[in-house]
mmCIF file of all heavy atoms in Angstrom:
data_model
loop_
_atom_site.group_PDB
_atom_site.id
_atom_site.type_symbol
_atom_site.label_atom_id
_atom_site.label_comp_id
_atom_site.label_asym_id
_atom_site.label_seq_id
_atom_site.Cartn_x
_atom_site.Cartn_y
_atom_site.Cartn_z
ATOM 1 N N PRO X 77 62.825 83.652 -39.581
ATOM 2 C CA PRO X 77 64.257 83.297 -39.640
ATOM 3 C C PRO X 77 64.659 82.543 -38.379
ATOM 4 O O PRO X 77 64.054 82.733 -37.305
ATOM 5 C CB PRO X 77 64.952 84.653 -39.748
ATOM 6 C CG PRO X 77 64.006 85.639 -39.183
ATOM 7 C CD PRO X 77 62.636 85.122 -39.501
ATOM 8 N N SER X 78 65.655 81.692 -38.498
ATOM 9 C CA SER X 78 66.077 80.862 -37.364
ATOM 10 C C SER X 78 67.514 81.136 -37.007
ATOM 11 O O SER X 78 68.344 81.538 -37.841
ATOM 12 C CB SER X 78 65.902 79.368 -37.706
ATOM 13 O OG SER X 78 66.679 79.004 -38.820
ATOM 14 N N LEU X 79 67.840 80.882 -35.755
ATOM 15 C CA LEU X 79 69.198 80.951 -35.224
ATOM 16 C C LEU X 79 69.457 79.545 -34.665
ATOM 17 O O LEU X 79 68.630 78.971 -33.975
ATOM 18 C CB LEU X 79 69.283 81.976 -34.104
ATOM 19 C CG LEU X 79 68.628 83.338 -34.380
ATOM 20 C CD1 LEU X 79 68.627 84.200 -33.127
ATOM 21 C CD2 LEU X 79 69.330 84.041 -35.523
ATOM 22 N N PHE X 80 70.641 78.986 -34.934
ATOM 23 C CA PHE X 80 70.845 77.593 -34.613
ATOM 24 C C PHE X 80 72.120 77.370 -33.800
ATOM 25 O O PHE X 80 73.169 77.896 -34.146
ATOM 26 C CB PHE X 80 70.912 76.752 -35.894
ATOM 27 C CG PHE X 80 70.885 75.269 -35.644
ATOM 28 C CD1 PHE X 80 69.721 74.639 -35.227
ATOM 29 C CD2 PHE X 80 72.018 74.487 -35.804
ATOM 30 C CE1 PHE X 80 69.683 73.263 -35.001
ATOM 31 C CE2 PHE X 80 72.019 73.132 -35.567
ATOM 32 C CZ PHE X 80 70.846 72.512 -35.180
ATOM 33 N N MET X 81 71.978 76.568 -32.768
ATOM 34 C CA MET X 81 73.096 76.164 -31.900
ATOM 35 C C MET X 81 73.828 75.007 -32.533
ATOM 36 O O MET X 81 73.313 73.906 -32.655
ATOM 37 C CB MET X 81 72.564 75.783 -30.512
ATOM 38 C CG MET X 81 73.604 75.177 -29.602
ATOM 39 S SD MET X 81 74.718 76.423 -28.953
ATOM 40 C CE MET X 81 75.898 75.353 -28.094
ATOM 41 N N THR X 82 75.060 75.247 -33.010
ATOM 42 C CA THR X 82 75.823 74.183 -33.669
ATOM 43 C C THR X 82 76.422 73.247 -32.633
ATOM 44 O O THR X 82 76.939 73.657 -31.605
ATOM 45 C CB THR X 82 76.932 74.777 -34.528
ATOM 46 O OG1 THR X 82 77.787 75.598 -33.734
ATOM 47 C CG2 THR X 82 76.358 75.602 -35.660
ATOM 48 N N ARG X 83 76.322 71.960 -32.953
ATOM 49 C CA ARG X 83 76.945 70.923 -32.141
ATOM 50 C C ARG X 83 77.511 69.876 -33.091
ATOM 51 O O ARG X 83 77.065 69.755 -34.208
ATOM 52 C CB ARG X 83 75.933 70.275 -31.178
ATOM 53 C CG ARG X 83 75.288 71.251 -30.202
ATOM 54 C CD ARG X 83 74.485 70.530 -29.136
ATOM 55 N NE ARG X 83 73.406 69.698 -29.679
ATOM 56 C CZ ARG X 83 72.231 70.163 -30.073
ATOM 57 N NH1 ARG X 83 71.973 71.472 -30.010
ATOM 58 N NH2 ARG X 83 71.309 69.360 -30.554
ATOM 59 N N SER X 84 78.443 69.115 -32.608
ATOM 60 C CA SER X 84 79.135 68.151 -33.432
ATOM 61 C C SER X 84 78.147 67.150 -34.033
ATOM 62 O O SER X 84 77.333 66.543 -33.312
ATOM 63 C CB SER X 84 80.188 67.413 -32.601
ATOM 64 O OG SER X 84 80.813 66.413 -33.339
ATOM 65 N N SER X 85 78.182 66.984 -35.358
ATOM 66 C CA SER X 85 77.388 65.984 -36.078
ATOM 67 C C SER X 85 75.875 66.197 -35.948
ATOM 68 O O SER X 85 75.096 65.242 -36.055
ATOM 69 C CB SER X 85 77.738 64.566 -35.591
ATOM 70 O OG SER X 85 79.118 64.292 -35.761
ATOM 71 N N VAL X 86 75.451 67.440 -35.722
ATOM 72 C CA VAL X 86 74.035 67.739 -35.622
ATOM 73 C C VAL X 86 73.651 68.639 -36.790
ATOM 74 O O VAL X 86 74.193 69.723 -36.955
ATOM 75 C CB VAL X 86 73.702 68.455 -34.287
ATOM 76 C CG1 VAL X 86 72.232 68.850 -34.239
ATOM 77 C CG2 VAL X 86 74.033 67.543 -33.123
ATOM 78 N N GLU X 87 72.711 68.187 -37.604
ATOM 79 C CA GLU X 87 72.264 68.970 -38.745
ATOM 80 C C GLU X 87 71.301 70.065 -38.283
ATOM 81 O O GLU X 87 70.671 69.925 -37.229
ATOM 82 C CB GLU X 87 71.570 68.066 -39.775
ATOM 83 C CG GLU X 87 70.358 67.309 -39.228
ATOM 84 C CD GLU X 87 69.736 66.384 -40.257
ATOM 85 O OE1 GLU X 87 69.783 66.735 -41.457
ATOM 86 O OE2 GLU X 87 69.214 65.321 -39.859
ATOM 87 N N PRO X 88 71.196 71.152 -39.072
ATOM 88 C CA PRO X 88 70.354 72.275 -38.652
ATOM 89 C C PRO X 88 68.861 71.986 -38.854
ATOM 90 O O PRO X 88 68.244 72.360 -39.842
ATOM 91 C CB PRO X 88 70.819 73.414 -39.556
ATOM 92 C CG PRO X 88 71.358 72.736 -40.765
ATOM 93 C CD PRO X 88 71.965 71.452 -40.296
ATOM 94 N N VAL X 89 68.292 71.264 -37.901
ATOM 95 C CA VAL X 89 66.841 71.040 -37.869
ATOM 96 C C VAL X 89 66.377 71.165 -36.441
ATOM 97 O O VAL X 89 67.164 70.975 -35.496
ATOM 98 C CB VAL X 89 66.456 69.647 -38.421
ATOM 99 C CG1 VAL X 89 66.872 69.472 -39.863
ATOM 100 C CG2 VAL X 89 67.050 68.534 -37.536
#
Side-chain angles (χ1 to χ4, degrees):
S78 61
L79 316 172
F80 190 72
M81 172 74 187
T82 57
R83 300 189 301 279
S84 177
S85 302
V86 176
E87 59 182 328
V89 299

